[in-house]
Amino acid sequence: MATHNEKGRVGESMACDYLREKGYAILETNWRYGKLEADIIAYTDDIIVFVEVKTRSNNTFGEPETFVDKAKQRAYVRLANHYITEKKRTEEARFDIIAITTDGTTTTLNHFPNAFTVIDALSKTTHINV
């Protein structure tokens, strides 16, 4: 497995542990719809939470959360619509980002609940509520 893929899987595992500690139930990990993939689908307070996990070794090129661009947001909205329809879920949905920076010695995890909305994803301007 490529180093970046391995780092991503480690980050996703850390994010799942973090969410469980916060009382979230993990419904799915790496759930796929066609070529789209949700890193984590969780449940808390009657809300289905679609979580994109971004893991980086450093912030040289920007904070990890800033890499969830409009295309990724739109993909998550399509994926969420399919998941909710397929699973016959009726709860409200939310889109979170968990940004992890780890250099092997120090790890920082930032959780951004409601990082973007459907309106954000479908609008023409770029905006992430972090």
Side-chain angles (χ1 to χ4, degrees):
M1 179 181 291
T3 303
H4 71 279
N5 289 339
E6 187 175 321
K7 186 177 298 275
R9 295 290 179 223
V10 169
E12 290 169 11
S13 178
M14 291 170 60
C16 282
D17 291 345
Y18 166 84
L19 291 170
R20 284 187 192 101
E21 288 173 15
K22 296 293 182 186
Y24 289 66
I26 306 300
L27 301 177
E28 310 274 355
T29 57
N30 306 113
W31 191 84
R32 296 188 72 80
Y33 166 57
K35 294 182 179 182
L36 305 176
E37 180 180 324
D39 294 328
I40 301 169
I41 303 173
Y43 186 80
T44 188
D45 300 325
D46 295 324
I47 299 171
I48 297 175
V49 184
F50 294 85
V51 183
E52 172 69 0
V53 180
K54 288 295 185 190
T55 307
R56 297 288 185 267
S57 298
N58 58 57
N59 296 340
T60 302
F61 298 107
E63 299 297 327
E65 64 274 13
T66 63
F67 291 89
V68 182
D69 61 11
K70 283 292 197 181
K72 187 68 165 179
Q73 292 176 22
R74 284 190 294 273
Y76 254 76
V77 168
R78 283 193 311 275
L79 181 134
N81 283 333
H82 185 78
Y83 180 85
I84 288 167
T85 300
E86 180 180 296
K87 302 292 184 178
K88 298 178 175 46
R89 303 299 297 238
T90 59
E91 300 90 347
E92 182 179 331
R94 185 178 87 198
F95 301 95
D96 291 7
I97 298 171
I98 293 183
I100 299 170
T101 305
T102 183
D103 62 9
T105 305
T106 305
T107 299
T108 304
L109 183 150
N110 291 307
H111 180 199
F112 300 97
N114 206 30
F116 63 91
T117 66
V118 172
I119 292 169
D120 294 332
L122 300 179
S123 72
K124 294 185 189 275
T125 58
T126 301
H127 184 266
I128 296 177
N129 300 321
V130 293

